[in-house]
Amino acid sequence: MKRNSWQDYQKQIADDHYYYARSCIRQNFFPGSERAFIDILTRDLGKDLLDDPKHSSCTGIGYHSDIVPLETIMTVVARQFSLMNEVGYENFVTSCITSFGIYTEILATWQEFPETEERTREYLRKATGREFTKPASLAHTSDIVFHFRDDIAARAKRRLVNAATGEPLRVVEHIGCHYAKIFPKSGIGGSEFPYVLAGMVESWGGECVDYPERRHCCGFGFRNYLVQANRGYSIANSHKKLESMAPYKPDFIVANCPGCAMFLDKWQYTIAEMEGTTYGENGHGIPVLTYEEMAGLVLGYDPWELGMQMHQVDVEPLLDKMGVEYDPAAKYLGRNGKFIGKPDTAAVNCGQSELLYDIKE
Amino acid sequence: MKKAIVIGGGPAGMQTALQLARRGVEPVIVERENALGGKLRNWHRLFPTFTPATDVLAELRRRVDEKGIEVHLSTEVESFTAKSVKLSDGRTMPCDAVVVTTGFTLFDARIKEEYGYGIYDNVVTSTDLERMFNEGRVVKADGSQPRRIAFLHCVGSRDEKVCQQHCSRVCCVTGVKQAIETKQLLPEADVFNFYMDIRMFGPGYEELYREAQQQYGIHFVRGRISEAAATHDGRIRIKAEDTLTGRPLRMSVDLLVLLIGMRANDTNAAFAAGAGLTRAASGFLQPENLFLDSVRSGVEGIFYAGAVTAPKTVGETVNEAIAAADAAAEYLSKN
């Protein structure tokens, strides 16, 4: 795929000293990914990152559900910046795409309507006695990984290639809507031909798949899912994307949004159960990775340490294809070696169940 | 003899120079490109009569040659006043008046990223299609014949998102003309035009629009295309909303033609600043008065002709050039 427009969309990404704001939902969806980001940055790349326990939710989901008013979320965001100021950092990095969209939107609103920034300062002062300065740079964690993609490639233990054939793996990259669709210039490559994930894939040996519904929403869309009556619409969107990408036989999907990775993964199970349709090889699902998991695999991390056992669609076929060594028996053992439970066998899955060491049995 | 420098050697510039010469003024054409003709050089046939563009161009060039008008090709203007024109090579040409006929810039379709121009080989512009007409064949990038072709109107026109709020006027009828020419070359092909309005303002245009539908079976769909993407078999998948039926629409085509608009030249800002001229919100140069002095700039000794003030047809441009030359000649006779 030609991508000659992405270089028009560049932004400043700090080289070091990051103030890290975690996501509310990723802790549950992909509990290993945020940990992996910290490990990759600090352990592999030797960067300074502060994982501050004082910061709170940005309240983005509440905001997009019309529960949290604009003034409130602006004040919450101002508090996050104040916390960052307190510890002497100025490069704000957020793990969640919704949060990234929120921070981008609020900074742009303050820029465009300075009176809203003044009001926010007053609210924050009244509520907490705090003051704040705006960050020198704002980035999503996928921007940071993109920024260091060549450093990661230089340290790679494995590449995104089929170990048996040497062929590049075929990757569907999916960008969260709030990464660049609201403010195209806030994302690497803009919103139409984003390059943030594609750049990682290409640097690490894979090739991206362009398919007709590439730009389509994953199906999360907040109200599509949060309002139970709308969930049919949510799955219909995921279904449309999966149908569109299937003929290209992707080896895996990678996303930079908590919702996208979650829904493209979990709805595959639902579609398989409802219709008996699966989209991956051998009648199973297409594995869905976060970019931290993708980077972690490239850097030689253990897949279970990355939390990949939490996926709905089993990742073993991809691991085998990449030549990743792993212990099948350790899949459902937590960090402390305790059995964490095992899902029932499903059509979309393909784990070699006879090899699994099931403590319950 | 008084000297007037005509900046721009397209149809407006050539006709202005010819009329100045007729009125006893010495015209000098300064043209940035290495040939006279402007955008017309790349066009195949002109609406609504399908007149070959070369007929108009060759005749204007012949008359310019015949009159022995002084022409400076490959010469770029940096700034000007009514009394002198400064060239980018540092030279200065003195004069008694200036007529600005620098025309327009074609909208860069890559800016509308959602249509994939420059990324998908079978997404082309109306200018690319004229080149194909000149080559006598409309083909896909692999040389095969397209079976289904979609034209999209208003690419870079009437679009606030790309800061082009104005209507480029000529694209509607160009879309109709090009659809007919495509059907003439490929009678078996299905041709669709996606539009938001069809503005058939000129003589014979509405008739051409009707002919396209009745005689050539060209489909007109009122709706904008939202995005284009490649399909597995190398076609282009487009999404649109048919606003007459109120239904979303998805279609695969072999060729997507973007009817690109006319935007103001980037040089207009520097020209305006240097000579004290006024620019309209669209970026085009603003005439002194749209009704009685549409060829006057508002600055003594500087005149406009053609699409430098707004999108115009070739016919309108050539006629306006006569008015501009007359106004300049009248000014020179008094000063």
Side-chain angles (χ1 to χ4, degrees), chain B residues 182-203:
Chain B
T182 302
K183 277 293 271 188
Q184 286 170 343
L185 281 169
L186 303 167
E188 300 301 316
D190 281 327
V191 177
F192 294 82
N193 280 47
F194 290 85
Y195 68 95
M196 57 170 137
D197 285 317
I198 288 283
R199 296 182 165 179
M200 292 294 150
F201 59 91

Side-chain angles (χ1 to χ4, degrees), chain B residues 39 102-108 111 155-157 162-164 166 168 260-268 282-284 307-308 310-311:
Chain B
K39 307 282 189 302
T102 45
F104 63 95
T105 300
L106 284 165
F107 179 78
D108 181 356
I111 294 169
V155 177
S157 302
V162 292
C163 304
Q164 304 295 322
H166 63 276
S168 292
I260 49 176
M262 300 160 84
R263 71 170 184 86
N265 293 333
D266 292 334
T267 51
N268 285 359
S282 60
F284 288 92
V308 71

Side-chain angles (χ1 to χ4, degrees), chain B residues 21-89:
Chain B
R22 279 188 211 114
R23 295 287 303 254
V25 177
E26 181 193 345
V28 177
I29 298 176
V30 179
E31 167 57 42
R32 186 176 56 180
E33 302 295 329
N34 60 8
L36 291 175
K39 307 282 189 302
L40 204 52
R41 290 161 60 206
N42 303 317
W43 229 248
H44 180 241
R45 288 179 188 274
L46 304 177
F47 59 77
T49 52
F50 297 92
T51 304
T54 48
D55 286 6
V56 176
L57 191 54
E59 180 58 20
L60 282 170
R61 280 177 174 163
R62 189 192 65 75
R63 292 178 190 176
V64 167
D65 285 345
E66 188 179 74
K67 283 277 180 192
I69 289 168
E70 184 180 331
V71 177
H72 297 262
L73 297 175
S74 305
T75 306
E76 203 156 352
V77 171
E78 191 175 287
S79 62
F80 59 85
T81 65
K83 297 293 177 194
S84 70
V85 172
K86 188 177 176 196
L87 306 178
S88 53
D89 61 12

